[in-house]
């Protein structure tokens, strides 16, 4: 099983390298929206010795292409051992024109799910619940809301193997787009919409992504902790790690430095920075910065947030692409796996990938070039994931220069190098 997994992942890694090679080409396709010119004066290009310079060029090229296509901002932070590289390009808002900063928060979508999973597994570590417990033991109202065909365990919700219908399609059908963006919807309403969709049971149950799974987990955390999810995430993650740009979208005013994303509704540009679709959502309602995201995954993978047993559960099996709140990708540097999560919500895309020991990390957020609401940006999201994985696979060659011999893995084949590039934005290098 493990050998099959490595072979499959190697093939996928090769495809992603090809995607990264096309960064400056056709993968973004044509946009329905014609971007307005915005002031992006070039900044001096920071340089690094190979091979990290190859990584830098790749990421800067991607940033330049996204801005050219109409993105408001691109934010990237890479960590390789003791060295960090960051890039911030664009503006916070199309109205203000204030240059974006690395610490500015964005909507991070699915990254929220890893944080919620941590809070659930903290309850497991404390003996407050078990992974095999039926969720209706704690939330009996779900029987009436969802009418499940059988017991649904906490583990199944965490791993998206519950077969619970996703509420999202029904939500999009429930009201006009502008109304959906303006009117908040609570967790019970989301799950009630999911309850109108027939269950599709499979034996054995397999992975099937459903936002409803994490909406139910958010309610579970609130019920067992006796506190709102935002407060639980703050106590479990934000405060212990000193995260300054991370919060749950809710009724409070949006942060002044929030980066604004945009979409198109009936051909008109609409700001979705404070969209009601994500407010309070355990499946995608967190605001965070790329720096905070890297800090979070580093702490998680180094065992600072959970017991070794719970962290192992989160990482999942070697023959799966998803564990419990963690996505998994092939790490060509170690012949092991990267862990993290992607996020894709209207107006925003985020990808966070870390090596298993947290030594190599990338977090990247983009405010998408505006496109019609709910059509999604699959090509951009796929490209972001491919570029992030390719970048980390290239970065390990630099890390091996200072990693102790006993900790070294087998170096990967050399990635193709790239030429110099003038880019729009700000890059910084920090060495510790």
């Amino acid at each position: 099983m493990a050998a099959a997994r490595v072979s499959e992942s190697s093939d996928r890694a090769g495809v992603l390298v090809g995607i990264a090679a096309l960064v400056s080409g056709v993968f973004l396709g044509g946009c329905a929206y014609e971007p307005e010119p915005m002031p992006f004066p070039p900044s001096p290009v920071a340089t690094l010795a190979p091979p990290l310079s190859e990584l830098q060029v790749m990421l800067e090229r991607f940033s330049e292409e996204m801005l050219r296509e109409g993105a408001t901002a691109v934010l990237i932070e890479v960590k390789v051992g003791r060295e960090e590289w960051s890039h911030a390009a664009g503006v916070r808002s199309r109205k203000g024109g204030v240059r974006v900063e690395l610490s500015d928060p964005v909507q991070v979508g699915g990254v929220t799910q890893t944080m919620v999973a941590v809070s659930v597994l903290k309850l497991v570590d404390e003996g407050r619940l078990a992974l095999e417990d039926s969720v209706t033991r704690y939330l009996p109202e779900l029987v009436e809301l969802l009418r499940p065909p059988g017991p649904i365990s906490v583990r199944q919700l965490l791993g998206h193997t519950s077969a619970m219908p996703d509420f999202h399609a029904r939500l999009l059908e429930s009201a006009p787009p502008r109304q959906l963006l303006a009117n908040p919807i609570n967790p019970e309403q989301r799950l009630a919409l999911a309850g109108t969709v027939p269950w599709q049971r499979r034996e054995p149950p397999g992975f099937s992504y459903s936002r409803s799974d994490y909406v139910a987990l958010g309610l579970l955390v609130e019920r067992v902790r006796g506190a709102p999810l935002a407060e639980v995430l703050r106590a479990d993650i934000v405060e212990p790690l000193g995260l300054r740009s991370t919060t749950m979208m809710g009724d409070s005013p949006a942060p002044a430095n929030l980066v604004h994303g945009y979409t198109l509704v009936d051909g008109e540009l609409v700001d979705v920075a404070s969209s009601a679709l994500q407010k309070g959502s355990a499946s995608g309602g967190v605001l965070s910065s790329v720096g905070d995201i890297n800090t979070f995954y580093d702490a998680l993978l180094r065992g600072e947030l959970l017991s070794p047993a719970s962290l192992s559960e989160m990482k999942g099996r070697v023959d799966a692409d998803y564990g419990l709140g963690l996505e998994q990708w092939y790490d060509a540097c170690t012949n092991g796996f990267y862990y993290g999560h992607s996020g894709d919500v209207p107006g925003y895309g985020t990808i966070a990938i870390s090596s298993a020991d947290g030594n190599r990390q990338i977090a990247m957020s983009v405010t998408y070039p505006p496109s019609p609401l709910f059509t999604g940006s699959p090509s951009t999201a796929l490209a972001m994931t491919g570029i992030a994985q390719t970048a980390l696979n290239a970065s390990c060659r630099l890390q091996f220069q200072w990693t102790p011999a006993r900790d070294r893995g087998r170096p990967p084949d050399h990635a193709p190098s790239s030429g110099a590039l003038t880019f729009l934005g700000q890059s910084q290098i920090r060495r510790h």
Side-chain angles (χ1 to χ4, degrees), residues 136-182:
T136 55
R137 172 182 173 184
Y138 307 93
L139 299 170
E141 64 270 28
L142 295 190
V143 174
E144 183 176 350
L145 275 175
L146 294 165
R147 296 184 294 279
I152 300 296
S153 71
V154 174
R155 179 188 296 278
Q156 288 175 314
L157 294 178
L158 286 166
H160 289 295
T161 59
S162 72
M164 185 184 297
D166 196 324
F167 66 84
H168 194 62
R170 283 286 194 269
L171 176 61
L172 303 189
E173 298 167 355
S174 67
R178 292 182 187 275
Q179 185 176 330
L180 290 173
L181 292 170

Side-chain angles (χ1 to χ4, degrees), residues 195-219:
T196 66
V197 181
W199 287 69
Q200 301 293 326
R201 294 294 277 176
R202 298 178 306 280
E203 295 298 339
F207 175 85
S208 179
Y209 182 82
S210 174
R211 298 166 184 83
S212 303
D213 287 331
Y214 274 77
V215 171
L217 286 169
L219 288 174

Side-chain angles (χ1 to χ4, degrees), residues 254-285:
N257 62 337
L258 177 64
V259 182
H260 290 240
Y262 298 86
T263 188
L264 296 175
V265 177
D266 299 326
E268 295 182 7
L269 195 66
V270 176
D271 189 329
V272 292
S274 298
S275 166
L277 285 171
Q278 308 305 327
K279 285 187 176 180
S281 172
S283 67

